[in-house]
Amino acid sequence: MLNSTSSIAVATLGTPRIGPRRELKTALESYWSGRSDEKALMATAAELRAANWARQRVLGVTVIPSNDFSLYDQVLDTSVLVGAIPSIYGWDGGPVPLATYFAMARGAEAGVSDPACAHAHGHGNGVPAQEMTKWFDTNYHYMVPEFSQGQKFALSSSKPVDEYREALALGHRTRPVLLGPVTFLKLGKSKDASLDPLSLLSDLLPVYTELLGRLAAEGADWVQLDEPCLVLDLDEAALDALRVAYATFAKNVPQLKIMLTTYFGGLGDNLATALSLPVAGLHVDLLRAPDQLHDVLTTAPEGLVLSLGAIDGRNIWRANLPSVVSRLEAAVAARGAGNIQIAPSCSLLHVPIDLDRETALDPELRTWLAFSLQKMSELATLGKALSGDHASVKDALTASAAAAAARKASPKVHDAVVAKRVAALTTDMERREAAFGERAKVQRAGFNLPAFPTTTIGSFPQTPEVRKARASHAKGLLSDADYNAFLYEETARAVRWQEEIGLDVLVHGEFERNDMVQYFGEQLAGFAFTENGWVQSYGSRCVRPPILFGDVSRPKPMTVEWWKYAQSLTTKPMKGMLTGPVTILNWSFVRDDMPRSASCLQIALAIRDEVADLEKAGARMIQIDEAALREGLPLRRVEWKGYLDWAVASFRICSSGARSETQIHTHMCYSEFNDIIDAIGAMDADVISIETSRSKMELLDAFKTYKYPNEIGPGVYDIHSPRVPEVVEMTDLLQLARQRLADDQLWINPDCGLKTRKWEEVAPALVNMVAAARLIRAMPR
């Protein structure tokens, strides 16, 4: 039982699932490639879960979660759990095969579970993956649930029960974690615009009720139901859905205590509804919304257990523990230790696992950081201090305060030259020298490209040979000269191949780059990098976000020499490839001692310098990717304008120094653009490429309604799936695009960069893409 003593309970809400050495990634990719079987994959998964539970217990966590593990994504797990599986995947009830699960995640060739079904639905060479988008305002991606008219739900997986039993057998009484029913429905969509997913609630609740009953029968006394939708702007229908759902659970499974979990923001005007629900506990995020603590404490019903998200679950900075203790002591005094739990602001999924593995980090910087395991120790320290046991944690509290003071005073953080340059910014630096219409005439005359020009987004496959060479170079086993010679040859081969298949605008392939953010951060002052600080982006895709710890500047050019070499190999246009300031910011662990907007302006000035140097070298097409623009959007609409104003200004600062004849491209991926289309227009990029293949060009509706004047490359195939799309699929998508935009606006490209794919997938797909371009040029509107 929880809270059986006067000590404050310590919870984690969820933990990283990839393993300290990315064991899950290795196991998944081995399984997908056929090198191992399902039994081996499941054995690795069980080992990772067991290790997670054991580590938490050792570190002092008293409320250990189960069912926070996933082979791919927790939202996909929920779709499978409740039987929300579109008919295209050929599932007809019963336990969901692993092949079907991964087909929903990644797409699949014909013959996944019912090849006849795939052919019947017009996908003779397989089935596409479900749509994928960002999880709230994070860089984690989830698989979007898909619903249809007449949608039926059924409990189709025993995963939560199985993992509860698994933990219990190992001696851990856990609190199972489930995505709440209202958030699940709100995250989903239907191809039928008339279907409101919330209308399906009455059909979904019996499945949740059945599952909760099974967990209670297994001995679970608490369950964690995540409803992060409560930090969004909700209408009365959504609030009513929450009331109905939790009243149903209280009536039908009264013996099971529910910890209603919210995160990524404050409850705001939803607080009254959250506190009215018949649940035993409520978790609130005190990092994103510290000011909500007072209202929660003064209005929460007596006896409601409050879980206080006091440690940052989304960033890597060490907490100032004495300051946190001071702030929370009043809450403990008011509610009693038995009614308080200490937790991170959200699941620790979003931070790396273990700082102790980072032996190469600057020693001073290292003392300022905390990863998942260190945050668990911080939580345990807070739990003891707030329970009155200051003596046992005295040293930990003292060290925490000293680290905070040292970071604040460190000269490594502050650069007076950067501060002076930011202070000198003017609005003139945000404007191109001519309007788009004038620029377009100059650019079209200069480039003389065919209609529907073809290109790619930037990166080509990082083959085992590329990764091996990079690793050997990093270990000192391959000299600088030999490594560069290898990279030059890979680049030359990619350029020749692009010419051979007939692409119109080329890229150099980015073989020298480890990551689109890390590559730049490593060359900018103010950033640090880890060796093992991996976090999950989706499935087996893991990233090592840079650590932005100080003021940012560019000591020297970063990409010019690679661009010059690649352009020397061809007479076709070669794009210079940069990552934009907003994406660098949003995909980094950012400073918490200054506004994000201030850091973004510093990065924008550094990228502006790089654009100028590329132009001087002769580049006439420069792509500044802002893949993460939308994911930084605040969750509450009232805060959107402030964010978009400084985000757009940052992009314009880095791009507006370019001359009219220089064509500025940008790229955005996996986002809903309808509600930020004004900001996209204000960016004033000459060409924007976006993800549209999974949405069947639906995302272009926003550009049509807005009457977007600039040029646009809607992605014609999904690079996150191993499928090779047929020419007819791409031409069909292009015809849909032509229904929305003028022909002279359209470019043809994949959805995103090709780094994670294999050449045997990329080569035929791009050949088909070029063939589709040739066909569409001959087709009348």
Side-chain angles (χ1 to χ4, degrees):
M1 295 289 291
L2 301 177
N3 304 321
S4 58
T5 74
S6 60
S7 297
I8 289 176
V10 174
T12 57
L13 307 185
T15 60
R17 55 183 71 130
I18 59 175
R21 293 171 175 79
R22 292 184 293 164
E23 292 90 342
L24 180 60
K25 173 184 176 68
T26 300
L28 283 170
E29 294 177 356
S30 176
Y31 173 74
W32 292 335
S33 68
R35 298 193 307 271
S36 62
D37 59 14
E38 181 174 335
K39 182 178 179 181
L41 174 61
M42 293 307 186
T44 297
E47 290 168 1
L48 290 171
R49 290 192 294 268
N52 266 344
W53 294 324
R55 278 193 295 265
Q56 290 176 81
R57 170 173 281 186
V58 168
L59 292 170
V61 176
T62 57
V63 184
I64 298 173
S66 60
N67 197 46
D68 57 325
F69 179 86
S70 175
L71 288 173
Y72 203 93
D73 163 50
Q74 69 270 15
V75 183
L76 176 61
D77 290 353
T78 307
S79 294
V80 169
L81 177 71
V82 301
I85 301 175
S87 60
I88 194 174
Y89 297 104
W91 177 73
D92 56 4
V96 179
L98 194 60
T100 301
Y101 176 90
F102 285 131
M104 295 171 70
R106 307 174 68 237
E109 300 301 323
V112 174
S113 55
D114 185 349
C117 179
H119 283 278
H121 285 81
H123 295 274
N125 70 332
V127 291
Q130 288 194 297
E131 185 177 341
M132 181 171 67
T133 195
K134 300 297 176 78
W135 173 247
F136 292 80
D137 58 350
T138 75
N139 189 37
Y140 178 81
H141 300 65
Y142 75 92
M143 309 306 301
V144 178
E146 184 179 317
F147 308 123
S148 59
Q149 292 286 358
Q151 178 74 52
K152 301 298 182 184
F153 298 106
L155 189 58
S156 305
S157 167
S158 57
K159 179 180 181 292
V161 175
D162 293 342
E163 293 183 12
Y164 178 81
R165 288 174 177 165
E166 187 179 314
L168 198 60
L170 294 171
H172 309 292
R173 183 174 291 277
T174 58
R175 184 171 71 188
V177 179
L178 301 171
L179 181 60
V182 178
T183 296
F184 173 67
L185 290 174
K186 285 189 68 63
L187 292 176
K189 64 188 298 186
S190 173
K191 293 178 180 178
D192 183 344
S194 68
L195 176 62
D196 176 6
L198 283 181
S199 68
L200 303 172
L201 182 67
S202 60
D203 295 311
L204 179 63
L205 288 181
V207 180
Y208 268 82
T209 300
E210 180 183 355
L211 174 60
L212 294 176
R214 290 191 184 184
L215 287 168
E218 292 293 332
D221 48 4
W222 282 81
V223 65
Q224 175 182 319
L225 280 172
D226 289 358
E227 292 284 11
C229 72
L230 274 161
V231 307
L232 304 177
D233 296 315
L234 296 182
D235 58 20
E236 195 59 31
L239 296 175
D240 280 342
L242 286 159
R243 297 182 190 109
V244 169
Y246 288 88
T248 300
F249 300 153
K251 176 182 179 181
N252 293 293
V253 199
Q255 70 275 31
L256 190 61
K257 298 177 182 179
I258 292 175
M259 175 60 72
L260 181 67
T261 308
T262 68
Y263 40 79
F264 300 152
L267 286 160
D269 54 358
N270 299 326
L271 175 60
T273 297
L275 292 175
S276 74
L277 300 178
V279 295
L282 174 67
H283 172 81
V284 292
D285 182 342
L286 298 182
L287 269 295
R288 283 296 185 93
D291 295 341
Q292 69 178 330
L293 178 60
H294 175 267
D295 289 343
V296 170
L297 288 175
T298 55
T299 56
E302 185 178 351
L304 182 72
V305 175
L306 294 181
S307 172
L308 305 180
I311 295 294
D312 198 340
R314 288 184 56 174
N315 212 333
I316 42 68
W317 300 108
R318 188 174 179 178
N320 185 339
L321 295 179
S323 176
V324 178
V325 170
S326 176
R327 183 162 169 252
L328 298 185
E329 281 177 331
V332 176
R335 306 290 297 184
N339 288 323
I340 294 289
Q341 294 182 11
I342 298 299
S345 57
C346 61
S347 167
L348 295 172
L349 171 71
H350 307 285
V351 294
I353 294 176
D354 188 5
L355 181 63
D356 288 346
R357 300 193 68 220
E358 301 303 329
T359 57
L361 269 179
D362 176 86
E364 182 181 7
L365 173 61
R366 197 169 177 273
T367 64
W368 305 341
L369 307 179
F371 291 178
S372 176
L373 298 187
Q374 288 71 39
K375 289 177 184 291
M376 293 178 196
S377 295
E378 288 185 318
L379 290 166
T381 297
L382 287 176
K384 290 179 180 179
L386 290 168
S387 297
D389 183 12
H390 285 80
S392 69
V393 293
K394 179 181 177 181
D395 290 347
L397 294 172
T398 300
S400 173
R407 178 185 169 207
K408 184 176 182 180
S410 175
K412 294 179 179 178
V413 173
H414 309 289
D415 185 332
V417 174
V418 173
K420 182 178 180 180
R421 192 177 181 198
V422 171
L425 281 169
T426 66
T427 54
D428 286 343
M429 295 176 69
E430 299 175 25
R431 289 192 286 267
R432 297 287 294 273
E433 63 181 13
F436 170 74
E438 296 176 49
R439 302 196 308 265
K441 291 177 184 177
V442 174
Q443 292 165 12
R444 288 169 184 167
F447 293 124
N448 194 30
L449 296 171
F452 306 102
T454 56
T455 189
T456 64
I457 303 305
S459 61
F460 279 137
Q462 296 262 321
T463 63
E465 292 76 18
V466 171
R467 293 195 296 269
K468 180 180 178 182
R470 181 180 298 125
S472 296
H473 180 249
K475 294 174 183 177
L477 303 177
L478 191 64
S479 70
D480 289 350
D482 288 343
Y483 182 52
N484 283 331
F486 170 82
L487 294 175
Y488 284 136
E489 179 53 35
E490 289 294 308
T491 302
R493 185 181 298 115
V495 172
R496 288 194 301 268
W497 182 78
Q498 291 173 82
E499 287 190 312
E500 288 170 4
I501 69 168
L503 285 168
D504 300 307
V505 173
L506 312 188
V507 297
H508 76 289
E510 304 181 12
F511 301 106
E512 79 285 3
R513 304 184 188 185
N514 41 23
D515 175 84
M516 66 181 289
V517 171
Q518 182 176 348
Y519 178 78
F520 292 95
E522 286 177 340
Q523 301 181 75
L524 294 170
F527 282 89
F529 291 85
T530 64
E531 293 181 327
N532 302 288
W534 298 100
V535 293
Q536 186 180 31
S537 178
Y538 60 87
S540 68
R541 170 72 168 150
C542 302
V543 295
R544 283 183 298 169
I547 297 170
L548 174 51
F549 69 87
D551 289 340
V552 178
S553 61
R554 187 198 70 146
K556 62 181 182 179
M558 301 178 286
T559 66
V560 173
E561 290 305 313
W562 281 109
W563 177 85
K564 287 168 63 176
Y565 172 69
Q567 184 65 81
S568 73
L569 302 173
T570 181
T571 58
K572 289 189 173 185
M574 176 67 61
K575 289 192 286 188
M577 301 300 304
L578 306 176
T579 301
V582 183
T583 296
I584 290 176
L585 182 84
N586 285 339
W587 286 359
S588 298
F589 290 123
V590 299
R591 296 171 64 172
D592 60 358
D593 62 342
M594 70 184 299
R596 293 168 66 237
S597 56
S599 292
C600 201
L601 290 175
Q602 294 178 0
I603 302 168
L605 285 170
I607 301 301
R608 182 184 178 96
D609 293 343
E610 189 70 12
V611 170
D613 281 340
L614 280 167
E615 259 199 337
K616 290 175 186 175
R620 291 295 173 263
M621 283 190 187
I622 302 173
Q623 182 169 310
I624 308 171
D625 287 343
E626 284 295 14
L629 180 82
R630 196 188 190 286
E631 75 184 43
L633 199 65
L635 298 178
R636 295 280 190 164
R637 279 186 177 267
V638 70
E639 300 171 7
W640 282 15
K641 184 178 184 302
Y643 165 75
L644 290 171
D645 283 351
W646 62 254
V648 170
S650 296
F651 180 83
R652 293 184 66 132
I653 285 167
C654 72
S655 63
S656 292
R659 297 187 295 271
S660 293
E661 58 265 34
T662 300
Q663 191 173 70
I664 297 294
H665 291 234
T666 191
H667 170 68
M668 298 181 186
C669 57
Y670 296 96
S671 295
E672 297 288 346
F673 299 112
N674 301 52
D675 41 16
I676 61 166
I677 189 64
D678 289 341
I680 293 174
M683 291 170 69
D684 197 28
D686 297 305
V687 183
I688 179 175
S689 57
I690 62 171
E691 178 277 332
T692 48
S693 66
R694 289 192 183 188
S695 69
K696 308 303 181 189
M697 297 290 168
E698 287 178 10
L699 295 179
L700 289 182
D701 289 337
F703 293 84
K704 177 182 178 181
T705 302
Y706 179 75
K707 298 182 179 178
Y708 185 75
N710 300 24
E711 297 175 21
I712 184 166
V716 296
Y717 85 88
D718 175 20
I719 69 91
H720 293 284
S721 170
R723 289 183 65 245
V724 175
E726 297 174 343
V727 174
V728 66
E729 290 182 56
M730 297 193 207
T731 52
D732 286 348
L733 287 173
L734 287 166
Q735 290 287 49
L736 291 174
R738 296 177 83 185
Q739 294 173 15
R740 293 165 167 88
L741 296 170
D743 284 1
D744 63 2
Q745 288 182 276
L746 288 170
W747 286 61
I748 300 177
N749 46 257
D751 270 344
C752 201
L754 302 166
K755 170 184 173 181
T756 61
R757 299 264 56 94
K758 299 175 181 177
W759 273 113
E760 53 264 37
E761 300 158 353
V762 166
L766 289 182
V767 167
N768 287 354
M769 188 184 81
V770 172
R774 290 171 178 152
L775 283 174
I776 208 75
R777 287 167 189 156
M779 292 181 181
R781 283 187 66 86

